[in-house]
Amino acid sequence: IASAIAFDVLPLKLHPFSQSTPTGLDCVGWKQHVAFPVIADGALDKMALADDVGSEEDLYEDFRSSTHRYGHPGGGGEQLAINELISDGSVVYAEALWDHVTMDDQELGFKAGDVIEVMDATNKEWWWGRILDSEGWFPASFVRLRVNQDEPMEDYPLKVEGGKNDDFSSGTRRFGMGQTTKDQMRTNVINEIISTERDYIKHLKDICEGYIKQCRKRADMFTEEQLKTIFGNIEDIYRCQKKFVKALEKKFNKDHPHLSEVGSCFLEYQTEFQIYSEYCNNHPNACMELSRLTKVNKYVYFFEACRLLQKMIDISLDGFLLTPVQKICKYPLQLAELLKYTNPQHRDFKDVEAALNAMKNVAQLINERKRRLENIDKIAQWQSSIEDWEGEDVLVRSSELIYSGELTKISHPQAKGQQRMFFLFDHQLVCCKKDLLRRDILYYKSRINMDDMEILDVEDGKDKDFNTSVKNAFKLHCRDTEEVHLFCAKKPEQKQRWLKAFESERRQVQLDQETGFSITEVQKKQAMLNASKQQHTGKPKAITRPYCDFLMRQKHPTLPTALPQQQVFVLAEPKRKPSNFWQNISRLTPFRK
């Protein structure tokens, strides 16, 4: 018969995807593999397959009944080992990959990088843990086990019977390891970095060859645009990571791993790692497209067959595609741990220190780009609320609202000033007029191309060009046409805010050019389409509320049932002052009709 990939209805009784997502405990490092024959491209000899492994149904039933099931880490084996350690009295530590924000008193909140004592790991989705005096449930997918379980926890005293702190030596005795030197701990971290990179390469190869390659053979099921949405630029990531792991292995000292000098590898590839930004930003779209396709059994069977033929572990495709997101967030944690066990006299110390800062910057860049992409939906919603809109969409040239507020505009000498609302985006300034009766309704009036403008500060008094007295004024002067626009603010501090906003706009444009930030046509069209659909439903227009509002409505009397938020990129995100831009917009536009 034809290859199992070239079917419309798979003859096996394949089960639908598990809705679980891989954990931060390095799902790519799991060593178990499916006992399924390798099938080359082309025809499949059904009789040969039946002779070797029995009928197709028997093969699937054997596979399904085996202990190779997805759970926390290792499909159950390592999870069982964790619980055995805990039941034996050992202390097991996990390190947070992402922030876990919760308003539920039964859940344990933490920040990325926090160390958590795992007290119960019987449930594969939610573990029970403790940080200092706080205990609660937390999503297991948000953490990874520490490499050095026996290290001293100076900043994390453990409470034991009698109220005394558990010391380092007693912790090592429970593990039966004895005193571990700093060099040995550095060896542990180096070994983890190398081994997880090798496993990660295998994981990426499986996705590219097990899924993408087979999907491209089925033009009747997938368009190129769909494949781009589902898999993003993961093939580019695969090529980049292959080169990176080769560079790591050259620096790896097999005889004395603690002497390895790997910091320079991260510095060399810090620019290449920025390709993760595109992948992370696209990942929510991939999840939505997969969710849509897997409502059709044909696609469920197809993806499951791809996984079986590639001998991949029992995780759904959306789980596999989450791994690159986890990986780029994990690098700063690994480097921070490596720096902790690297002596200042070590030849690798300065490079590791610089690499840690570099990878934090990469994570920060990814965070910023993700925030910018989230903003385009808000901008599209805002534009859809403006009456009498003319010309191209804001998103054609802009992706960021810099500032907004009221100004008096004077366009011609002797002309009367007009009170208008202005919205400063990157590349353009949009002018709107308030409705005379309903002040929350705005009408589009005009826009100014900021790329052609220079900002001129105007002193209080009579302006010669416009032959009028002004106060708190500034001008926008077009270099090409010599056109001049005069604006007046109500207060001096408002004028200064506008002047600073214009400087920020130019900096933003320059930064986008330097970093190559851009929004694809598909993303722009999708944002406008979503805004249009929302408008036509007749429902109130509202900007999406933060995830914490959702958590506040959840109550988990025992084990939490809500799925934890997976798209969290806050590893190196800088603290920002609260912004009132969108509050101003929501107050001035009919979001609450």
Side-chain angles (χ1 to χ4, degrees):
I1 63 173
S3 169
I5 294 299
F7 53 74
D8 284 323
V9 178
L10 187 69
L12 305 185
K13 296 180 180 179
L14 297 180
H15 64 290
F17 290 142
S18 163
Q19 295 304 313
S20 304
T21 49
T23 74
L25 295 162
D26 252 346
C27 64
V28 295
W30 301 344
K31 301 298 183 183
Q32 299 177 352
H33 294 281
V34 183
F36 199 86
V38 178
I39 302 177
D41 296 339
L44 172 67
D45 190 333
K46 182 177 180 180
M47 294 304 294
L49 176 62
D51 290 342
D52 289 340
V53 295
S55 70
E56 292 163 330
E57 288 196 13
D58 290 342
L59 171 68
Y60 177 70
E61 289 301 325
D62 289 344
F63 170 75
R64 189 177 62 173
S65 61
S66 71
T67 57
H68 177 76
R69 299 293 300 166
Y70 165 68
H72 271 281
E78 292 181 28
Q79 184 184 2
L80 181 61
I82 294 171
N83 281 311
E84 286 179 354
L85 282 173
I86 295 171
S87 62
D88 289 342
S90 299
V91 180
V92 177
Y93 295 114
E95 190 167 15
L97 288 169
W98 302 308
D99 292 1
H100 179 225
V101 180
T102 178
M103 301 296 177
D104 195 315
D105 55 5
Q106 296 254 346
E107 293 184 24
L108 184 67
F110 46 73
K111 295 285 187 183
D114 284 355
V115 177
I116 304 147
E117 180 189 352
V118 181
M119 304 175 70
D120 183 2
T122 21
N123 185 275
K124 70 178 182 179
E125 298 292 345
W126 291 86
W127 291 355
W128 184 269
R130 175 170 64 189
I131 299 178
L132 297 177
D133 295 328
S134 301
E135 294 186 12
W137 295 106
F138 64 91
S141 58
F142 277 41
V143 302
R144 70 174 182 119
L145 289 181
R146 296 199 71 152
V147 180
N148 296 303
Q149 289 289 339
D150 54 345
E151 67 176 284
M153 299 292 293
E154 300 88 357
D155 56 344
Y156 185 67
L158 300 175
K159 302 295 180 181
V160 295
E161 292 183 10
K164 295 182 180 180
N165 291 343
D166 194 9
D167 61 19
F168 171 55
S169 59
S170 63
T172 55
R173 279 198 300 271
R174 280 198 296 269
F175 278 108
M177 295 181 182
Q179 188 70 27
T180 303
T181 65
K182 196 169 186 177
D183 285 345
Q184 180 58 47
M185 288 183 171
R186 190 174 200 274
T187 294
N188 294 345
V189 179
I190 290 288
N191 285 336
E192 187 212 38
I193 291 174
I194 298 296
S195 64
T196 55
E197 282 302 317
R198 290 169 177 166
D199 292 334
Y200 182 46
I201 287 296
K202 170 66 168 59
H203 176 87
L204 293 175
K205 180 182 179 182
D206 285 343
I207 294 175
C208 293
E209 297 185 1
Y211 284 105
I212 301 178
K213 187 176 179 180
Q214 302 296 350
C215 287
R216 286 198 173 119
K217 295 178 181 178
R218 297 303 306 268
D220 58 317
M221 294 177 66
F222 303 96
T223 65
E224 277 300 320
E225 186 175 340
Q226 277 181 310
L227 295 181
K228 180 66 176 175
T229 300
I230 295 172
F231 298 101
N233 63 334
I234 199 167
E235 290 174 302
D236 295 334
I237 291 175
Y238 178 38
R239 285 188 285 269
C240 173
Q241 292 294 150
K242 281 197 293 186
K243 293 186 292 183
F244 176 66
V245 77
K246 286 180 181 178
L248 277 179
E249 288 174 338
K250 287 180 181 178
K251 297 288 185 178
F252 180 54
N253 188 324
K254 295 181 180 179
D255 297 327
H256 305 285
H258 68 281
L259 298 178
S260 302
E261 301 174 27
V262 300
S264 59
C265 298
F266 287 91
L267 291 175
E268 180 183 352
Y269 282 85
Q270 60 178 306
T271 303
E272 281 82 351
F273 283 147
Q274 291 181 13
I275 63 174
Y276 277 87
S277 177
E278 178 183 339
Y279 185 86
C280 293
N281 291 333
N282 178 71
H283 186 256
N285 299 329
C287 292
M288 287 189 290
E289 181 65 17
L290 275 178
S291 176
R292 187 182 69 82
L293 291 179
T294 51
K295 290 177 182 176
V296 181
N297 285 338
K298 177 173 68 172
Y299 289 94
V300 176
Y301 298 151
F302 179 85
F303 289 137
E304 182 70 348
C306 290
R307 184 186 67 78
L308 291 171
L309 295 178
Q310 193 66 19
K311 302 181 183 179
M312 299 169 75
I313 58 176
D314 188 10
I315 303 178
S316 59
L317 177 55
D318 57 345
F320 285 115
L321 294 178
L322 178 63
T323 310
V325 177
Q326 294 175 314
K327 190 65 178 178
I328 197 64
C329 291
K330 190 173 180 180
Y331 282 137
L333 296 176
Q334 288 181 321
L335 288 169
E337 199 166 10
L338 181 61
L339 183 64
K340 184 175 181 180
Y341 302 115
T342 304
N343 289 316
Q345 296 78 23
H346 197 292
R347 292 175 57 182
D348 200 25
F349 182 83
K350 289 185 178 180
D351 281 348
V352 172
E353 190 174 41
L356 174 59
N357 291 328
M359 294 310 296
K360 283 183 177 179
N361 289 336
V362 170
Q364 180 179 331
L365 176 64
I366 292 173
N367 289 334
E368 179 62 17
R369 289 185 174 183
K370 182 175 186 295
R371 184 188 67 82
R372 293 282 296 280
L373 282 179
E374 289 172 347
N375 274 348
I376 70 173
D377 287 326
K378 299 176 184 178
I379 292 174
Q381 291 174 19
W382 170 82
Q383 181 185 314
S384 68
S385 72
I386 304 297
E387 303 291 339
D388 300 336
W389 186 268
E390 296 178 5
E392 64 185 16
D393 295 331
V394 176
L395 292 178
V396 172
R397 303 189 64 226
S398 304
S399 61
E400 177 87 348
L401 175 66
I402 309 295
Y403 194 68
S404 65
E406 281 189 291
L407 291 169
T408 299
K409 179 185 178 184
I410 305 173
S411 298
H412 307 286
Q414 308 300 329
K416 184 180 179 181
Q418 297 174 322
Q419 195 79 7
R420 295 287 184 261
M421 273 297 302
F422 289 90
F423 300 87
L424 178 62
F425 297 88
D426 53 314
H427 298 289
Q428 59 186 315
L429 179 68
V430 178
C431 173
C432 297
K433 177 185 177 181
K434 290 183 179 180
D435 187 90
L436 292 176
L437 297 178
R438 290 194 57 182
R439 306 298 283 175
D440 60 340
I441 296 180
L442 294 176
Y443 296 88
Y444 174 85
K445 301 306 293 183
S446 63
R447 74 182 85 191
I448 297 173
N449 182 2
M450 294 304 300
D451 294 339
D452 300 332
M453 294 293 166
E454 61 177 339
I455 316 300
L456 303 176
D457 194 355
V458 178
E459 294 183 357
D460 292 349
K462 190 167 185 177
D463 182 77
K464 296 180 181 179
D465 294 335
F466 286 79
N467 195 28
T468 185
S469 295
V470 296
K471 191 175 183 180
N472 307 321
F474 59 88
K475 291 179 181 177
L476 295 183
H477 172 249
C478 181
R479 304 180 188 91
D480 297 333
T481 64
E482 297 299 325
E483 184 181 6
V484 179
H485 302 276
L486 178 64
F487 301 89
C488 296
K490 291 181 179 179
K491 298 178 181 180
E493 53 267 28
Q494 292 177 345
K495 170 186 172 179
Q496 293 304 315
R497 291 193 196 105
W498 274 105
L499 294 178
K500 290 180 179 179
F502 288 124
E503 293 177 1
S504 298
E505 186 269 340
R506 287 294 90 189
R507 284 197 302 269
Q508 186 69 67
V509 170
Q510 183 178 357
L511 181 62
D512 288 347
Q513 291 173 346
E514 292 173 353
T515 59
F517 175 82
S518 63
I519 300 173
T520 66
E521 291 300 319
V522 173
Q523 290 167 331
K524 295 174 186 176
K525 290 178 182 178
Q526 188 61 48
M528 294 306 300
L529 181 63
N530 293 341
S532 176
K533 286 180 179 178
Q534 187 175 5
Q535 187 178 28
H536 290 148
T537 57
K539 296 179 181 179
K541 297 178 183 178
I543 293 173
T544 305
R545 297 188 62 81
Y547 179 68
C548 61
D549 284 9
F550 168 76
L551 288 175
M552 290 178 68
R553 297 195 297 270
Q554 305 303 308
K555 292 298 178 185
H556 309 301
T558 53
L559 183 69
T561 56
L563 290 176
Q565 185 188 30
Q566 291 295 338
Q567 296 307 314
V568 185
F569 311 100
V570 291
L571 204 58
E573 188 169 7
K575 299 295 182 182
R576 291 188 179 86
K577 294 182 179 178
S579 170
N580 61 356
F581 290 168
W582 294 109
Q583 287 90 332
N584 290 340
I585 290 178
S586 62
R587 186 173 69 250
L588 296 169
T589 51
F591 287 156
R592 296 186 295 275
K593 280 185 180 179

